[in-house]
Amino acid sequence: MRLIIMGPPGAGKGTQAAVLAGAIGVTHISTGDIFRLNVSNATPLGVQAKAFMDAGEYVPDDLTNSMVRDRLSKSDCGAGFLLDGYPRTLEQVGELDSMLEGAGGCVDKVVELIVDVDEVVNRLVKRSADQGRSDDGEGVIRRRLEVYFEATAPLTELYEKRGLLVRVSGMGAVEDVSGRVLEALGVNA
Ligand code: B4P
């Protein structure tokens, strides 16, 4: 199964992707986690990505696409994967399509987590207090939400037109959200 999970910052993509990938038996690929690992190891990619992330902006498409292309070529993606946080722009959708076509495949389902804006802000403010992530300050959160609604939210319509989109409420307890997503995907966990 080749899955994508989408939703605004703080919707719980990373939280749910970890649960779902385990339940379904596919590899979880979080572009945010890969960038953060590169930032903490001060790799050339991390050095380039950090300024964008700290400002609440997207990392440029060319850097992001080549990172994902490399990750999807690894053998652990052969049985399927769950992309968390990618694609986020129209250009990334086109790149992903060409990567998968090249391997004779396509995306099977796209899950969109729907969460109130007030709730995502509360979650990110709480995460900022708990973890001190450099992109969770209040001004940066606001910018990340703007970028999401401008660049990424419209992509869900594209996947809806392709008949791949399932919309699931991301409100409530983590396990309740996981149950709803698995049910929407027709997976018995
Ligand atoms: P991400 O790592 O994808 O960050 P996110 O959108 O904040 O996280 P997510 O929605 O996964 O929230 P989470 O589960 O953690 O991206 C970070 C940055 O990387 C981007 O801003 C960008 O700069 C860059 N980037 C990544 N991908 C890119 C791409 N494709 N192109 C360009 N740039 C890219 O949940 C948030 C919090 O809520 C957590 O503290 C969690 O514990 C809590 N939570 C989750 N579910 C909950 C629930 N049901 N109830 C209460 N709390 C909950």
Side-chain angles (χ1 to χ4, degrees):
M1 231 185 186
R2 288 167 297 256
L3 302 170
I4 295 172
I5 189 160
M6 301 183 75
K13 298 182 295 292
T15 304
Q16 293 303 325
V19 176
L20 300 172
I24 298 168
V26 294
T27 299
H28 173 198
I29 300 173
S30 159
T31 44
D33 284 351
I34 301 175
F35 282 133
R36 278 185 289 278
L37 184 67
N38 278 276
V39 170
S40 64
N41 291 334
T43 66
L45 175 64
V47 170
Q48 291 185 80
K50 186 175 179 354
F52 295 102
M53 295 173 78
D54 286 352
E57 304 294 336
Y58 287 164
V59 178
D61 285 331
D62 55 339
L63 293 178
T64 307
N65 287 331
S66 63
M67 179 181 86
V68 172
R69 187 178 282 280
D70 177 62
R71 183 64 190 87
L72 287 180
S73 69
K74 303 278 190 265
S75 59
D76 64 346
C77 295
F81 52 80
L82 171 49
L83 283 170
D84 157 14
Y86 182 92
R88 268 169 148 108
T89 65
L90 199 53
E91 188 175 327
Q92 293 180 15
V93 171
E95 271 294 308
L96 178 63
D97 287 344
S98 81
M99 289 177 218
L100 297 182
E101 273 162 32
C106 57
V107 171
D108 296 305
K109 285 279 175 214
V110 178
V111 176
E112 181 187 9
L113 292 176
I114 311 287
V115 182
D116 297 346
V117 169
D118 288 349
E119 171 68 11
V120 297
V121 172
N122 288 340
R123 288 180 188 179
L124 295 177
V125 167
K126 183 173 180 304
R127 184 169 71 185
S128 170
D130 295 345
Q131 299 175 18
R133 228 173 86 170
S134 58
D135 58 348
D136 278 345
E138 215 182 313
V140 180
I141 292 171
R142 222 172 295 122
R143 179 62 194 149
R144 288 168 62 200
L145 284 166
E146 276 173 15
V147 172
Y148 174 80
F149 286 109
E150 274 166 33
T152 307
L155 306 182
T156 59
E157 285 160 33
L158 191 151
Y159 284 118
E160 186 170 34
K161 283 194 192 125
R162 295 185 187 181
L164 300 177
L165 189 72
V166 287
R167 288 198 171 91
V168 178
S169 168
M171 300 290 286
V174 169
E175 28 324 334
D176 293 344
V177 178
S178 307
R180 286 195 286 269
V181 176
L182 289 169
E183 193 183 339
L185 292 173
V187 175
N188 294 316

